[in-house]
Amino acid sequence: MAEVSRLQIETALKVIQDPYLEKDRVAAGQIRDIRIDGSKVVVDVVLGYPAKELVPAIQAEIREHAGRVAGVDKVEVDVKWEIVSHAVQRNLKPLAGVKNIIAVASGKGGVGKSTTAVNLALALYAEGASVGLLDADIYGPSQPRMLGISGKPETKDGRMLEPMENYGIKAMSIGFLIEEETPMIWRGPMVTQALEQLLSETRWGELDYLVIDLPPGTGDIQLTLSQKIPVSGAVIVTTPQDIALLDARKGLKMFEKVEVPVLGIVENMSIHICSKCGHEERIFGEGGGQRMSDDYGVELLGSLPLDIRIREQADSGKPTVVADPGGRVAEIYRDIARHTAAQLARQSKDYSGKFPNIVIQNN
C-alpha cells in the first residue's frame, strides 16, 4: 500500500472553500496541522472566527475529501478557533482585556440598530466567543430591557463597575444607573465623557468581542465617540428604503473619516411575510443594502425580515437568538455574526503586545 503524504492531504483539502473568507481552507491558513499514522490521518483546523454551529459540517467535509486519498482508511478532524486582537485607530490603544470592539451604527433611528446589536452579541456568544455589550445610546438606552436585566451594577473597589450579565454576555448601560423613565437631558460633552467612563471603568474581564450599540445619527456625538473608542470594525444597519440608505451612507463615510474599517451592512426589514396568508411584500423597497454594498465595496452581512416576533421577543427581554435558537431568524443572526467575525479576521492584526518595551538605564 502506498504511503500517504501530507502533500496529498493538503491537495485534497484545497478544494474546500471557506464561505465566509472566500478562500480555500489551506490558503486561509486554517489547516494548522496534519498528522499521518499509516492509514490514519488527523487534521487540526483552526478558524479565525467562532463557528460552533458549523463544526459538524466542517468535520464531515474534511473527512470526505481527505478520505478519498488512496491509502487513507480513517480521518479524524479537530476544529477550534483562535480570536486575535485587530488594529484600532492609530491614535488609540486597545482596551485592556478586550480583543476587539465592534461598533453597531445607523445613520438614523428606527431601523432596528439596537435589536441587531443585541442579537449580534448573543449570536457571537452562541458561536463560541466571549462577548460583552455596551449600550452607548445615552438618550434612549434599550439594552437593559432587551436583555431582561434589572437592578444596578455593583462596585467592589469603589472605582470599577461590575458588568451586569444575562444569557452568557456581559453588559453595561446608562440605563442600569438611572430609572427607566428618567430623561437624559445632557449636552454632547457630558454624553461623551459618560460613555468613556462606562467603557473604561467597567471590569469587562477577558472578551473576544465587545459590541457597542452606538447612538443613531452621524452628528458630533457619534463622530467624537468614533474618534475616542478604540474600534476594530463597524457594522452599519439600514433598511432598504432610499431615505434610510442615504443616512446609512453618511454613517459609512463617518467611519472612513476616522479610519475605522466597515465590516459590512445589515439590511433590516428587507421583506414582510404576512403571518396569516404568507404573502411576501417588500414594503420598504428592494435591494438597497446590496446596492450600497456594491457601491462601496463592503460586505452585505445579511438581510432580516420584518417579523413581529423579533420585536415581541426583544421587548419581552428575550431576544430572538435565545428565544427561538432553532428558528430561521436566529439562524440569520448567527450567519451575520459569522460573516462579521470573519470580515474582522481579515483585517490587520494588533501587534502592540508583541513588541518589548525599551528601557534605558543609567548605570
Side-chain angles (χ1 to χ4, degrees):
M1 184 170 60
E3 186 174 334
V4 179
S5 70
R6 181 187 179 99
L7 179 60
Q8 286 177 297
I9 302 300
E10 282 189 349
T11 302
L13 299 184
K14 282 182 178 180
V15 300
I16 304 175
Q17 293 289 310
D18 183 309
Y20 297 96
L21 296 179
E22 297 178 349
K23 291 181 179 180
D24 71 76
R25 297 202 183 277
V26 176
Q30 296 176 349
I31 308 303
R32 187 64 57 89
D33 193 19
I34 297 172
R35 298 185 298 281
I36 301 168
D37 182 9
S39 62
K40 176 183 174 183
V41 174
V42 180
V43 181
D44 290 338
V45 180
V46 181
L47 308 177
Y49 57 92
K52 183 185 291 183
E53 190 175 57
L54 300 184
V55 169
I58 293 172
Q59 289 174 322
E61 196 170 27
I62 290 176
R63 278 197 298 265
E64 178 187 350
H65 285 83
R68 293 175 184 172
V69 175
V72 174
D73 291 331
K74 184 177 182 181
V75 181
E76 292 181 1
V77 184
D78 177 61
V79 180
K80 61 181 181 180
W81 38 89
E82 291 179 358
I83 300 164
V84 302
S85 298
H86 291 82
V88 300
Q89 303 94 309
R90 280 182 292 180
N91 59 324
L92 298 178
K93 292 182 179 180
L95 194 65
V98 177
K99 292 179 180 177
N100 300 288
I101 292 180
I102 300 174
V104 178
S106 64
K108 66 190 296 293
V111 298
K113 170 186 56 63
S114 294
T115 305
T116 300
V118 68
N119 277 293
L120 173 62
L122 291 166
L124 286 168
Y125 173 75
E127 288 299 316
S130 55
V131 184
L133 175 63
L134 174 62
D135 186 355
D137 196 346
I138 291 290
Y139 296 121
S142 53
Q143 296 302 346
R145 172 170 287 199
M146 288 186 176
L147 284 169
I149 300 176
S150 59
K152 297 185 182 298
E154 298 179 351
T155 176
K156 295 179 179 178
D157 58 6
R159 189 176 66 88
M160 301 290 288
L161 291 172
E162 300 297 322
M164 308 294 275
E165 293 191 40
N166 201 14
Y167 306 128
I169 66 173
K170 299 177 180 179
M172 183 53 66
S173 169
I174 196 71
F176 294 139
L177 305 174
I178 61 171
E179 297 300 323
E180 189 175 48
E181 297 181 2
T182 301
M184 299 301 296
I185 310 174
W186 286 2
R187 294 189 182 276
M190 296 174 67
V191 172
T192 304
Q193 183 178 356
L195 285 176
E196 285 187 81
Q197 285 184 270
L198 285 179
L199 177 66
S200 61
E201 296 180 13
T202 297
R203 201 185 304 277
W204 295 107
E206 299 294 322
L207 295 179
D208 294 319
Y209 304 103
L210 175 60
V211 176
I212 298 188
D213 179 12
L214 285 178
T218 54
D220 180 64
I221 292 175
Q222 290 79 6
L223 183 59
T224 303
L225 290 174
S226 300
Q227 290 171 326
K228 292 191 173 185
I229 296 174
V231 179
S232 301
V235 172
I236 307 291
V237 181
T238 186
T239 60
Q241 65 189 114
D242 292 339
I243 295 298
L245 286 164
L246 183 66
D247 290 327
R249 292 171 191 264
K250 294 177 184 177
L252 189 146
K253 288 290 187 182
M254 178 188 74
F255 285 112
E256 285 184 350
K257 181 175 289 188
V258 295
E259 300 180 334
V260 171
V262 174
L263 304 175
I265 302 160
V266 173
E267 185 184 79
N268 233 345
M269 311 178 198
S270 62
I271 188 170
H272 174 254
I273 302 174
C274 179
S275 58
K276 292 186 177 180
C277 69
H279 174 67
E280 296 183 3
E281 189 172 11
R282 299 183 184 277
I283 58 178
F284 289 116
E286 183 175 356
Q290 187 62 61
R291 287 195 301 275
M292 184 174 168
S293 169
D294 294 338
D295 290 345
Y296 290 94
V298 296
E299 185 90 357
L300 179 62
L301 301 170
S303 299
L304 289 151
L306 180 62
D307 190 321
I308 190 173
R309 289 169 297 182
I310 298 176
R311 193 273 302 167
E312 290 173 341
Q313 289 158 349
D315 284 354
S316 69
K318 200 170 185 180
T320 305
V321 171
V322 291
D324 185 19
R328 174 60 184 145
V329 175
E331 173 51 40
I332 294 173
Y333 277 123
R334 290 178 73 147
D335 190 59
I336 288 171
R338 292 190 292 265
H339 271 291
T340 301
Q343 285 298 311
L344 182 56
R346 300 169 76 167
Q347 304 296 328
S348 300
K349 294 179 174 58
D350 172 37
Y351 295 105
S352 60
K354 303 291 185 181
F355 298 100
N357 293 322
I358 299 175
V359 179
I360 300 175
Q361 294 180 327
N362 294 320
N363 294 326

